[in-house]
Amino acid sequence: MDTNNAKNSQTYEFPPSPYGTYFELKTNHFQLEEATRSGSFDMKYRHYHSTYEIYYLLEGSRYYFIDRNSFFVQPGSLVFIGKNRIHKTSPAEQHFHHRFLIEIEEAVMEHWFDEMADGRLSTLFTDEMSILTLTASEQTILNAKLNEIKEEAKAQKELYQEMIEYLLREMLLFSFRIKSKNNATRISSATFQGAETEKIRTVNRVAGFLADHYREAHSLDELSSLFFTNKYYLTRIFKQVTGFTICEYLHIQRIQKAQEFLRTSLLPITEIALLVGFENVSYFEKIFRRYCTQSPRDYRISQK
């Protein structure tokens, strides 16, 4: 694969602050960002995309919602997000957090999958629980690799982007080795204790139900009855833990299914709208534009 330096790449350095970016690098192949957030910072956008993402938490704590499960991540947590997986972070115990984010373009990452570890690297991103908890010594090694990446980006010597890609590949192999260990620690909702555990389990059950029954209309009264909880409490904890409202999450499930139909079938848009749970095609098109920034028709054309 051609890894020539992208002409439009940029590097920025910012001083540490309670709310800001320490480091950012964008190229045609990947994006890197180290940032801190404080207060009640929440991801404001609805999140799924065709790039592969790696999220490394250095300080603080977060809820991390992936597809239909919520996790509690703490310093040393390394999260792998495959393409088009629904995901979002939201505040947990501490509002301050410090994280390093890596996004790698689909074609680049899938080329790396083909080249390394007989394709097994892809399991980092496709397993249901794609989260690793690093030991103190593993964090030290990973932090050193990230510092090397930042130094390369800052100096911008000849072939610096190729060197960064080499370091990113090293990081993936290092992570895969940890995942493959028998004693690798995996994060699950069982990380929580007591009432917190039950809250996460309830939200995960509701998310799973909505993902499996996305075509159907669901009232809050119906959901609260199904899951034996107060509808106002359910609304609050679902938003707190996933970062999405129940309606937003259901819309995303429906839009993802609609995208699949648009890519793989010749069905009329009106029929696709009905198949994914929208009775009104105008409303379907409005929601589709909200999440995809283009009409269903334009999306279908772009995928040919």
Side-chain angles (χ1 to χ4, degrees):
M1 174 171 291
D2 181 12
T3 55
N4 290 333
N5 290 353
K7 292 181 180 179
N8 62 342
S9 65
Q10 301 179 67
T11 304
Y12 307 90
E13 287 284 347
F14 292 86
S17 66
Y19 182 97
T21 303
Y22 291 171
F23 162 81
E24 184 177 18
L25 173 68
K26 297 181 180 180
T27 78
N28 287 340
H29 290 171
F30 55 81
Q31 297 186 37
L32 313 174
E33 183 188 75
E34 181 181 4
T36 58
R37 300 286 186 261
S38 61
S40 57
F41 176 81
D42 191 8
M43 292 169 65
K44 298 301 181 187
Y45 44 93
R46 287 76 181 175
H47 218 57
Y48 65 95
H49 43 68
S50 61
T51 54
Y52 288 82
E53 184 173 307
I54 303 168
Y55 178 102
Y56 178 48
L57 190 65
L58 292 105
E59 299 177 87
S61 60
R62 302 288 284 173
Y63 292 119
Y64 212 117
F65 181 76
I66 306 172
D67 284 337
R68 58 172 69 192
N69 290 302
S70 296
F71 306 94
F72 181 64
V73 294
Q74 302 180 76
S77 296
L78 194 56
V79 186
F80 298 87
I81 307 296
K83 63 179 181 180
N84 296 320
R85 297 188 75 177
I86 300 169
H87 61 287
K88 196 170 186 182
T89 72
S90 53
E93 294 173 341
Q94 304 172 34
H95 284 167
F96 170 84
H97 70 285
H98 175 192
R99 55 92 172 131
F100 200 104
L101 189 67
I102 301 167
E103 284 192 37
I104 301 174
E105 290 298 316
E106 176 183 5
V108 175
M109 182 63 83
E110 293 182 357
H111 179 69
W112 293 357
F113 290 160
D114 291 339
E115 283 192 331
M116 299 188 292
D118 301 320
R120 291 177 295 156
L121 281 180
S122 63
T123 61
L124 283 169
F125 297 89
T126 56
D127 281 2
E128 184 176 350
M129 291 167 53
S130 302
I131 303 179
L132 300 176
T133 302
L134 306 187
T135 65
S137 60
E138 289 165 347
Q139 289 178 55
T140 299
I141 294 170
L142 181 58
N143 292 347
K145 292 184 186 298
L146 294 177
N147 284 332
E148 282 189 72
I149 288 172
K150 289 190 288 185
E151 286 302 315
E152 285 289 340
K154 183 177 180 180
Q156 294 198 10
K157 296 178 181 178
E158 185 178 4
L159 300 178
Y160 77 96
Q161 289 189 39
E162 285 81 352
M163 181 60 74
I164 291 174
E165 289 195 20
Y166 168 78
L167 291 167
L168 289 173
R169 287 158 67 107
E170 264 197 348
M171 177 181 164
L172 286 170
L173 289 170
F174 172 71
S175 301
F176 182 76
R177 178 176 286 177
I178 294 170
K179 177 180 178 291
S180 300
K181 287 181 184 177
N182 291 330
N183 64 345
T185 303
R186 307 295 294 279
I187 295 180
S188 73
S189 55
T191 302
F192 295 91
Q193 300 296 324
E196 195 75 1
T197 302
E198 189 54 38
K199 178 171 71 175
I200 300 302
R201 287 176 179 165
T202 298
V203 169
N204 288 351
R205 287 197 296 266
V206 173
F209 175 83
L210 293 173
D212 291 336
H213 300 85
Y214 65 90
R215 295 178 179 177
E216 304 162 18
H218 305 286
S219 69
L220 280 176
D221 288 328
E222 174 197 355
L223 291 174
S224 61
S225 176
L226 277 172
F227 295 98
F228 306 102
T229 187
N230 178 277
K231 64 181 180 181
Y232 302 109
Y233 174 72
L234 178 59
T235 301
R236 179 168 59 83
I237 64 170
F238 194 93
K239 171 66 174 176
Q240 178 190 5
V241 171
T242 69
F244 299 103
T245 66
I246 291 173
C247 186
E248 285 173 338
Y249 181 68
L250 186 57
H251 279 162
I252 291 173
Q253 289 290 342
R254 290 174 172 178
I255 295 305
Q256 283 199 324
K257 303 300 181 186
Q259 287 177 309
E260 184 178 344
F261 280 122
L262 290 165
R263 288 194 304 269
T264 61
S265 79
L266 297 176
L267 292 171
I269 289 172
T270 52
E271 187 172 343
I272 290 174
L274 290 171
L275 281 172
V276 300
F278 289 96
E279 295 182 0
N280 183 300
V281 69
S282 296
Y283 185 62
F284 164 66
E285 291 180 346
K286 175 184 176 181
I287 298 301
F288 194 96
R289 283 180 180 274
R290 179 183 300 172
Y291 291 99
C292 304
T293 67
Q294 58 185 160
S295 69
R297 179 180 178 276
D298 289 342
Y299 177 82
R300 170 173 268 170
I301 292 170
S302 72
Q303 298 301 305
K304 290 182 179 178

